[in-house]
Short mmCIF file of all heavy atoms in Angstrom, two decimals:
data_model
loop_
_atom_site.label_atom_id
_atom_site.label_comp_id
_atom_site.label_asym_id
_atom_site.label_seq_id
_atom_site.Cartn_x
_atom_site.Cartn_y
_atom_site.Cartn_z
N LEU P 155 184.65 111.36 116.79
CA LEU P 155 185.87 111.03 116.05
C LEU P 155 185.50 110.25 114.78
O LEU P 155 184.82 109.23 114.81
CB LEU P 155 186.82 110.10 116.90
CG LEU P 155 188.07 109.62 116.27
CD1 LEU P 155 189.00 110.79 115.88
CD2 LEU P 155 188.78 108.65 117.20
N ALA P 156 185.89 110.79 113.61
CA ALA P 156 185.65 110.16 112.35
C ALA P 156 186.67 109.14 111.96
O ALA P 156 187.77 109.09 112.56
CB ALA P 156 185.57 111.26 111.24
N GLU P 157 186.31 108.27 111.04
CA GLU P 157 187.23 107.20 110.58
C GLU P 157 188.55 107.78 110.06
O GLU P 157 189.58 107.12 110.22
CB GLU P 157 186.54 106.40 109.47
CG GLU P 157 185.47 105.47 109.97
CD GLU P 157 185.96 104.21 110.65
OE1 GLU P 157 187.22 103.99 110.68
OE2 GLU P 157 185.15 103.42 111.14
N ASP P 158 188.53 108.96 109.47
CA ASP P 158 189.78 109.55 108.92
C ASP P 158 190.57 110.27 109.98
O ASP P 158 191.61 110.86 109.65
CB ASP P 158 189.44 110.49 107.77
CG ASP P 158 188.66 111.75 108.20
OD1 ASP P 158 188.37 111.90 109.42
OD2 ASP P 158 188.38 112.58 107.32
N GLY P 159 190.13 110.22 111.24
CA GLY P 159 190.89 110.86 112.35
C GLY P 159 190.56 112.27 112.62
O GLY P 159 191.09 112.88 113.55
N THR P 160 189.57 112.85 111.94
CA THR P 160 189.08 114.20 112.17
C THR P 160 188.21 114.16 113.45
O THR P 160 187.38 113.27 113.61
CB THR P 160 188.29 114.79 111.02
OG1 THR P 160 189.12 114.81 109.90
CG2 THR P 160 187.79 116.17 111.35
N VAL P 161 188.40 115.14 114.38
CA VAL P 161 187.57 115.28 115.55
C VAL P 161 186.58 116.42 115.36
O VAL P 161 186.98 117.53 114.94
CB VAL P 161 188.46 115.55 116.80
CG1 VAL P 161 187.56 115.73 118.03
CG2 VAL P 161 189.44 114.44 117.04
N TYR P 162 185.32 116.14 115.58
CA TYR P 162 184.31 117.19 115.55
C TYR P 162 183.82 117.51 116.92
O TYR P 162 183.76 116.63 117.80
CB TYR P 162 183.08 116.67 114.70
CG TYR P 162 183.42 116.46 113.24
CD1 TYR P 162 184.00 115.27 112.85
CD2 TYR P 162 183.23 117.44 112.30
CE1 TYR P 162 184.31 115.00 111.50
CE2 TYR P 162 183.50 117.23 110.96
CZ TYR P 162 184.06 115.99 110.58
OH TYR P 162 184.39 115.79 109.22
N SER P 163 183.55 118.81 117.21
CA SER P 163 183.13 119.18 118.54
C SER P 163 181.99 120.19 118.39
O SER P 163 181.82 120.90 117.39
CB SER P 163 184.31 119.82 119.32
OG SER P 163 184.77 120.98 118.60
N TRP P 164 181.11 120.26 119.43
CA TRP P 164 180.00 121.16 119.44
C TRP P 164 179.41 121.25 120.85
O TRP P 164 179.77 120.48 121.73
CB TRP P 164 178.88 120.73 118.43
CG TRP P 164 178.27 119.40 118.70
CD1 TRP P 164 177.04 119.19 119.35
CD2 TRP P 164 178.73 118.11 118.32
NE1 TRP P 164 176.74 117.79 119.38
CE2 TRP P 164 177.80 117.13 118.74
CE3 TRP P 164 179.88 117.67 117.68
CZ2 TRP P 164 177.95 115.78 118.50
CZ3 TRP P 164 180.00 116.25 117.46
CH2 TRP P 164 179.07 115.36 117.86
N GLY P 165 178.61 122.31 121.05
CA GLY P 165 178.04 122.55 122.41
C GLY P 165 178.69 123.78 123.04
O GLY P 165 179.05 124.76 122.36
N ASN P 166 178.87 123.72 124.33
CA ASN P 166 179.40 124.81 125.12
C ASN P 166 180.92 125.01 124.84
O ASN P 166 181.71 124.05 125.05
CB ASN P 166 179.13 124.62 126.63
CG ASN P 166 179.50 125.82 127.46
OD1 ASN P 166 180.55 126.44 127.28
ND2 ASN P 166 178.62 126.17 128.38
N ASN P 167 181.33 126.17 124.38
CA ASN P 167 182.71 126.45 124.07
C ASN P 167 183.45 127.29 125.11
O ASN P 167 184.50 127.87 124.80
CB ASN P 167 182.81 127.13 122.65
CG ASN P 167 184.19 127.14 122.13
OD1 ASN P 167 185.00 126.25 122.36
ND2 ASN P 167 184.51 128.22 121.42
N GLU P 168 182.88 127.42 126.31
CA GLU P 168 183.49 128.23 127.32
C GLU P 168 184.96 127.72 127.62
O GLU P 168 185.21 126.55 127.70
CB GLU P 168 182.70 128.11 128.62
CG GLU P 168 183.13 129.10 129.72
CD GLU P 168 182.22 129.13 130.91
OE1 GLU P 168 181.30 128.28 130.89
OE2 GLU P 168 182.47 129.93 131.79
N ASN P 169 185.85 128.66 127.72
CA ASN P 169 187.26 128.37 127.97
C ASN P 169 187.93 127.53 126.90
O ASN P 169 188.95 126.91 127.08
CB ASN P 169 187.45 127.69 129.31
CG ASN P 169 186.97 128.51 130.48
OD1 ASN P 169 187.18 129.69 130.49
ND2 ASN P 169 186.29 127.91 131.42
N GLY P 170 187.32 127.52 125.69
CA GLY P 170 187.91 126.83 124.57
C GLY P 170 187.87 125.32 124.60
O GLY P 170 188.63 124.60 123.92
N ARG P 171 186.87 124.72 125.36
CA ARG P 171 186.85 123.28 125.50
C ARG P 171 186.57 122.53 124.20
O ARG P 171 186.80 121.32 124.11
CB ARG P 171 185.83 122.91 126.53
CG ARG P 171 184.38 123.09 126.16
CD ARG P 171 183.43 122.93 127.27
NE ARG P 171 183.55 124.07 128.23
CZ ARG P 171 182.68 124.27 129.28
NH1 ARG P 171 181.75 123.38 129.55
NH2 ARG P 171 182.89 125.29 130.06
N LEU P 172 186.11 123.28 123.16
CA LEU P 172 185.81 122.60 121.91
C LEU P 172 187.07 122.48 121.00
O LEU P 172 187.02 121.83 119.95
CB LEU P 172 184.71 123.35 121.12
CG LEU P 172 183.32 123.39 121.84
CD1 LEU P 172 182.33 124.05 120.88
CD2 LEU P 172 182.87 122.00 122.29
N GLY P 173 188.12 123.12 121.35
CA GLY P 173 189.38 122.97 120.58
C GLY P 173 189.35 123.63 119.20
O GLY P 173 190.06 123.27 118.28
N LEU P 174 188.49 124.70 119.05
CA LEU P 174 188.32 125.28 117.72
C LEU P 174 189.27 126.44 117.49
O LEU P 174 189.24 127.12 116.45
CB LEU P 174 186.85 125.76 117.57
CG LEU P 174 185.81 124.61 117.67
CD1 LEU P 174 184.40 125.20 117.55
CD2 LEU P 174 186.03 123.61 116.58
N GLY P 175 190.10 126.77 118.50
CA GLY P 175 191.06 127.86 118.34
C GLY P 175 190.49 129.21 118.70
O GLY P 175 191.15 130.25 118.51
N SER P 176 189.27 129.26 119.23
CA SER P 176 188.63 130.51 119.52
C SER P 176 187.57 130.29 120.60
O SER P 176 186.99 129.22 120.71
CB SER P 176 187.95 131.11 118.28
OG SER P 176 187.15 132.23 118.64
N THR P 177 187.34 131.33 121.44
CA THR P 177 186.28 131.26 122.42
C THR P 177 185.20 132.31 122.12
O THR P 177 184.37 132.65 122.96
CB THR P 177 186.81 131.51 123.85
OG1 THR P 177 187.48 132.78 123.87
CG2 THR P 177 187.79 130.45 124.22
N GLY P 178 185.21 132.82 120.94
CA GLY P 178 184.30 133.90 120.52
C GLY P 178 182.86 133.54 120.54
O GLY P 178 181.94 134.32 120.80
N GLU P 179 182.52 132.28 120.18
CA GLU P 179 181.19 131.79 120.14
C GLU P 179 180.92 130.81 121.26
O GLU P 179 181.58 129.75 121.33
CB GLU P 179 180.89 131.14 118.79
CG GLU P 179 179.46 130.84 118.54
CD GLU P 179 179.18 130.33 117.15
OE1 GLU P 179 180.14 130.21 116.35
OE2 GLU P 179 177.99 130.04 116.83
N LEU P 180 180.06 131.14 122.25
CA LEU P 180 179.83 130.30 123.43
C LEU P 180 179.06 129.03 123.06
O LEU P 180 179.44 127.93 123.48
CB LEU P 180 179.04 131.08 124.47
CG LEU P 180 178.71 130.30 125.73
CD1 LEU P 180 179.95 129.83 126.44
CD2 LEU P 180 177.82 131.14 126.70
N SER P 181 178.00 129.14 122.24
CA SER P 181 177.21 128.00 121.88
C SER P 181 177.41 127.61 120.42
O SER P 181 177.08 128.39 119.49
CB SER P 181 175.73 128.30 122.12
OG SER P 181 175.46 128.59 123.43
N VAL P 182 177.99 126.47 120.19
CA VAL P 182 178.20 125.94 118.82
C VAL P 182 177.21 124.83 118.60
O VAL P 182 177.28 123.74 119.19
CB VAL P 182 179.62 125.43 118.63
CG1 VAL P 182 179.81 124.84 117.27
CG2 VAL P 182 180.66 126.53 118.90
N THR P 183 176.17 125.06 117.78
CA THR P 183 175.04 124.18 117.77
C THR P 183 175.14 123.06 116.66
O THR P 183 174.31 122.22 116.57
CB THR P 183 173.76 125.00 117.44
OG1 THR P 183 173.82 125.65 116.20
CG2 THR P 183 173.50 126.01 118.61
N LYS P 184 176.20 123.13 115.86
CA LYS P 184 176.45 122.08 114.89
C LYS P 184 177.88 121.61 114.98
O LYS P 184 178.76 122.40 115.34
CB LYS P 184 176.18 122.56 113.45
CG LYS P 184 174.73 122.76 113.13
CD LYS P 184 174.51 123.08 111.65
CE LYS P 184 173.04 123.16 111.28
NZ LYS P 184 172.89 123.50 109.83
N PRO P 185 178.15 120.32 114.68
CA PRO P 185 179.49 119.81 114.74
C PRO P 185 180.48 120.59 113.86
O PRO P 185 180.20 120.88 112.75
CB PRO P 185 179.36 118.38 114.25
CG PRO P 185 177.97 118.02 114.55
CD PRO P 185 177.16 119.31 114.33
N MET P 186 181.64 120.95 114.43
CA MET P 186 182.69 121.65 113.73
C MET P 186 183.97 120.85 113.84
O MET P 186 184.30 120.37 114.93
CB MET P 186 182.89 123.04 114.33
CG MET P 186 181.66 123.95 114.23
SD MET P 186 181.24 124.45 112.54
CE MET P 186 182.68 125.50 112.15
N PRO P 187 184.77 120.77 112.78
CA PRO P 187 186.04 120.01 112.86
C PRO P 187 187.10 120.80 113.61
O PRO P 187 187.27 122.00 113.40
CB PRO P 187 186.44 119.85 111.36
CG PRO P 187 185.76 121.02 110.66
CD PRO P 187 184.46 121.22 111.40
N MET P 188 187.81 120.13 114.53
CA MET P 188 188.92 120.79 115.22
C MET P 188 190.02 120.95 114.17
O MET P 188 190.48 119.96 113.53
CB MET P 188 189.49 119.84 116.29
CG MET P 188 188.63 119.83 117.55
SD MET P 188 189.47 118.92 118.85
CE MET P 188 188.17 118.88 120.14
N PRO P 189 190.56 122.19 114.01
CA PRO P 189 191.58 122.39 112.98
C PRO P 189 192.79 121.55 113.13
O PRO P 189 193.37 121.07 112.14
CB PRO P 189 191.93 123.93 113.25
CG PRO P 189 190.69 124.44 113.79
CD PRO P 189 190.17 123.41 114.65
N ALA P 190 193.24 121.24 114.35
CA ALA P 190 194.48 120.45 114.56
C ALA P 190 194.29 119.01 114.19
O ALA P 190 195.26 118.28 113.98
CB ALA P 190 194.93 120.59 115.99
N SER P 191 193.04 118.55 114.01
CA SER P 191 192.80 117.16 113.72
C SER P 191 192.53 116.90 112.22
O SER P 191 192.33 115.77 111.80
CB SER P 191 191.58 116.64 114.52
OG SER P 191 190.40 117.14 113.99
N ARG P 192 192.55 117.91 111.43
CA ARG P 192 192.25 117.70 109.96
C ARG P 192 193.51 117.40 109.21
O ARG P 192 194.27 118.29 108.79
CB ARG P 192 191.55 118.96 109.43
CG ARG P 192 190.28 119.33 110.12
CD ARG P 192 189.52 120.44 109.52
NE ARG P 192 188.89 120.06 108.27
CZ ARG P 192 188.19 120.92 107.51
NH1 ARG P 192 188.06 122.20 107.88
NH2 ARG P 192 187.65 120.50 106.38
N ALA P 193 193.77 116.14 109.04
CA ALA P 193 194.98 115.65 108.37
C ALA P 193 195.15 116.18 107.01
O ALA P 193 196.25 116.47 106.53
CB ALA P 193 195.04 114.11 108.35
N ASN P 194 194.00 116.37 106.25
CA ASN P 194 194.08 116.85 104.89
C ASN P 194 194.15 118.38 104.80
O ASN P 194 194.14 118.97 103.71
CB ASN P 194 192.82 116.35 104.12
CG ASN P 194 191.52 116.89 104.67
OD1 ASN P 194 191.47 117.24 105.87
ND2 ASN P 194 190.50 116.88 103.85
N LYS P 195 194.13 119.05 105.99
CA LYS P 195 194.22 120.51 106.02
C LYS P 195 195.42 121.00 106.84
O LYS P 195 195.38 122.07 107.37
CB LYS P 195 192.90 121.10 106.59
CG LYS P 195 191.66 120.77 105.77
CD LYS P 195 191.62 121.54 104.45
CE LYS P 195 190.30 121.31 103.77
NZ LYS P 195 190.21 122.03 102.49
N GLY P 196 196.43 120.16 106.98
CA GLY P 196 197.60 120.57 107.71
C GLY P 196 197.67 120.08 109.13
O GLY P 196 198.62 120.27 109.85
N GLY P 197 196.59 119.41 109.61
CA GLY P 197 196.60 118.80 110.94
C GLY P 197 197.00 117.36 110.86
O GLY P 197 197.68 116.95 109.93
N TYR P 198 196.60 116.52 111.84
CA TYR P 198 196.93 115.14 111.74
C TYR P 198 195.86 114.27 112.41
O TYR P 198 195.00 114.75 113.15
CB TYR P 198 198.31 114.85 112.44
CG TYR P 198 198.46 115.38 113.83
CD1 TYR P 198 198.11 114.58 114.92
CD2 TYR P 198 198.90 116.67 114.08
CE1 TYR P 198 198.26 115.04 116.21
CE2 TYR P 198 199.05 117.15 115.37
CZ TYR P 198 198.72 116.35 116.43
OH TYR P 198 198.85 116.79 117.73
N ALA P 199 195.81 113.05 111.96
CA ALA P 199 194.72 112.15 112.38
C ALA P 199 194.78 111.73 113.84
O ALA P 199 195.84 111.28 114.29
CB ALA P 199 194.68 110.88 111.51
N MET P 200 193.66 111.85 114.53
CA MET P 200 193.59 111.46 115.96
C MET P 200 193.12 110.02 116.07
O MET P 200 192.48 109.51 115.16
CB MET P 200 192.62 112.44 116.71
CG MET P 200 193.04 113.87 116.71
SD MET P 200 194.71 114.10 117.45
CE MET P 200 194.91 115.85 117.26
#
Side-chain angles (χ1 to χ4, degrees):
L155 176 62
E157 287 282 356
D158 67 359
T160 300
V161 178
Y162 295 85
S163 61
W164 62 99
N166 189 314
N167 191 34
E168 188 175 5
N169 300 319
R171 72 190 70 173
L172 298 186
L174 300 177
S176 170
T177 58
E179 190 173 1
L180 178 63
S181 298
V182 178
T183 61
K184 286 187 177 181
M186 299 291 292
M188 285 188 186
S191 73
R192 301 186 73 180
N194 62 338
K195 298 289 186 179
Y198 52 93
M200 299 301 179

